Amino acid sequence: MQLISNLDDFELMTLLKADNELAFGEIFKRFDSLLYIYAYKKLQNSEEAKDIVQEVFVHLWRNRKDFELKTTLPGYLYKSVLNKILNVIARKQSETKYISSLQHAIDTDALSADFLIREKDITSLIEREIAALPPKMREVFELRKNQYLSNREIAQQLGISEQTVETHMKRALKILRTKLGILIYFCHIL
């Protein structure tokens, strides 16, 4: 039998569709580093680049049975990574707008009693959502937002890496944006 490393991409994809884990491993081995470098150059963030590449390979494995290669395997993989990079960039822009909106709402001087009541209710809701975050994520989020510590200062205080701090912050903002996003929308209408 021919060594798996000697097979071309088309032969590997044929084996992959037949649930051959060695074929998947060979595809991963061939393209993992290249895709990571590509993603890293676009995002300048190691963890995000790793996550994107991992998501692409997980998608490839999960959809192997129905997968139809309409281009080259490298072309498909690079296009998949690029699409995920664009999603990350769009998400970051959305987070920036959300944070700006939240900051604007916080900075706005409330004159009416009705607004003050709504503001108190919203603050209570935000605090409840923050309290519902996983403990370490909540601790990182509160150190950043309440004590204005940098990633480095938080990492030193908690004995974790700066990258872990950044990951906790991203995930906390994503959770809060998901849970409170519609609330912010309604606050701007009312």
Side-chain angles (χ1 to χ4, degrees), residues 111-132:
L111 298 176
S112 70
D114 182 49
F115 182 82
L116 291 173
I117 290 169
R118 273 189 273 151
E119 184 179 49
K120 186 175 180 180
D121 290 343
I122 291 168
T123 301
S124 175
L125 180 59
I126 291 170
E127 288 171 358
R128 277 196 309 263
E129 291 302 333
I130 291 170

Side-chain angles (χ1 to χ4, degrees), residues 83-145:
N83 286 337
K84 293 204 175 286
I85 288 168
L86 294 175
N87 288 343
V88 166
I89 291 168
R91 178 184 47 81
K92 285 181 179 180
Q93 289 172 344
S94 177
E95 285 176 1
T96 300
K97 287 179 186 175
Y98 168 75
I99 291 170
S100 294
S101 295
L102 186 57
Q103 189 62 47
H104 182 318
I106 292 169
D107 292 343
T108 301
D109 187 23
L111 298 176
S112 70
D114 182 49
F115 182 82
L116 291 173
I117 290 169
R118 273 189 273 151
E119 184 179 49
K120 186 175 180 180
D121 290 343
I122 291 168
T123 301
S124 175
L125 180 59
I126 291 170
E127 288 171 358
R128 277 196 309 263
E129 291 302 333
I130 291 170
L133 292 172
K136 186 62 80 173
M137 187 184 297
R138 181 179 64 245
E139 186 175 16
V140 167
F141 184 86
E142 289 175 342
L143 286 171
R144 167 66 63 75
K145 296 302 175 189

